[in-house]
């Protein structure tokens, strides 16, 4: 289980500012789940004064979901995800229903959440979003994975045969 760091001041407000300039408010205690935000908080500033935290790499729609995650997490910290994953259904992988539903989003948003979690250094968010992608890949052939993620097949038929021949053991 990821640890939730206790802040010295649970009432201090942070304005997390998206790429588009939209502000999302949260407390410093909640914001500190992000290691990036944690390093940006001015500890010497007046604790009663709100602080702007610019996040130029995170779009508003994504930051709204990140803040939703950050605000929920302290109330029900995510249990570590068992690896390797044993299912293609997040509801079967995650014993906590809220987290399974949280990542039930469009593929583009899911990938942007992964980028935001990585950029903001939020390990539990990165874990659950990557698990959602892994569940989409589990038990699929390369062609099915390409179809799922709209990836082109850039191998020539000769290259495909060469790879199959070199990895015959994997199909036994």
């Amino acid at each position: 289980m990821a640890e939730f760091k206790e802040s010295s001041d649970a009432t201090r407000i942070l304005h997390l500012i998206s790429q588009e300039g939209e502000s999302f408010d949260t407390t410093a205690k909640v914001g500190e789940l992000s290691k990036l935000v944690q390093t940006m908080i001015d500890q010497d500033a007046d604790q009663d004064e709100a602080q702007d935290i610019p996040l130029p790499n995170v779009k508003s729609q994504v930051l709204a979901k990140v803040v939703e995650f950050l605000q929920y997490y302290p109330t029900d910290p995510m249990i570590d995800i068992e690896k390797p994953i044993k299912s293609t259904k997040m509801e079967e992988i995650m014993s906590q229903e809220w987290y399974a539903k949280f990542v039930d989003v469009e593929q583009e948003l899911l990938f942007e959440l992964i980028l935001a979690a990585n950029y903001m250094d939020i390990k539990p968010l990165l874990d659950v979003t990557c698990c959602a992608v892994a569940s989409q890949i589990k038990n699929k052939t390369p062609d099915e994975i390409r179809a799922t993620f709209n990836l082109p097949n850039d191998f020539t038929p000769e290259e495909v045969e060469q790879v199959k021949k070199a990895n015959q053991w994997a199909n036994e």
Side-chain angles (χ1 to χ4, degrees):
M1 190 180 308
E3 243 182 76
F4 181 69
K5 183 181 179 293
E6 289 294 325
S7 174
S8 59
D9 187 354
T11 59
R12 183 168 185 198
I13 299 297
L14 299 179
H15 302 297
L16 303 180
I17 312 294
S18 72
Q19 184 179 77
E20 298 87 348
E22 194 172 343
S23 179
F24 296 86
D25 293 354
T26 192
T27 64
K29 180 178 178 180
V30 168
E32 285 180 344
L33 184 56
S34 163
K35 290 190 173 130
L36 174 69
V37 170
Q38 201 176 75
T39 63
M40 296 172 78
I41 294 174
D42 183 357
Q43 300 299 335
D44 298 329
D46 182 358
Q47 296 297 302
D48 294 328
E49 196 172 303
Q51 181 181 347
D52 290 351
I53 306 286
L55 298 167
N57 294 350
V58 185
K59 295 177 184 172
S60 293
Q61 176 190 17
V62 178
L63 189 53
K65 286 288 282 182
V66 170
V67 169
E68 178 185 350
F69 181 91
L70 292 174
Q71 290 176 338
Y72 180 81
Y73 188 88
T75 66
D76 184 20
M78 194 173 79
I79 297 168
D80 285 341
I81 300 166
E82 187 180 335
K83 296 167 197 84
I85 62 170
K86 305 217 183 316
S87 175
T88 58
K89 297 181 176 140
M90 284 300 290
E91 303 79 34
E92 294 174 8
I93 297 168
M94 300 292 304
S95 60
Q96 295 162 291
E97 183 182 0
W98 187 90
Y99 292 102
K101 286 184 176 181
F102 178 81
V103 293
D104 186 15
V105 295
E106 290 183 22
Q107 197 176 80
E108 183 179 348
L109 179 56
L110 181 60
F111 286 129
E112 289 192 24
L113 281 168
I114 289 172
L115 293 173
N118 187 51
Y119 169 67
M120 293 177 70
D121 200 355
I122 307 169
K123 186 181 181 329
L125 179 56
L126 187 59
D127 287 349
V128 72
T129 52
C130 286
C131 180
V133 172
S135 73
Q136 293 176 11
I137 292 172
K138 186 165 181 65
N139 299 330
K140 289 191 175 175
T141 65
D143 287 334
E144 291 170 328
I145 294 169
R146 279 190 206 95
T148 299
F149 298 110
N150 262 346
L151 300 171
N153 183 356
D154 51 0
F155 287 113
T156 65
E158 294 80 24
E159 290 172 323
V160 170
E161 282 307 311
Q162 185 179 1
V163 169
K164 283 182 180 178
K165 191 181 243 183
N167 296 292
Q168 272 181 328
W169 60 269
N171 296 323
E172 294 174 356

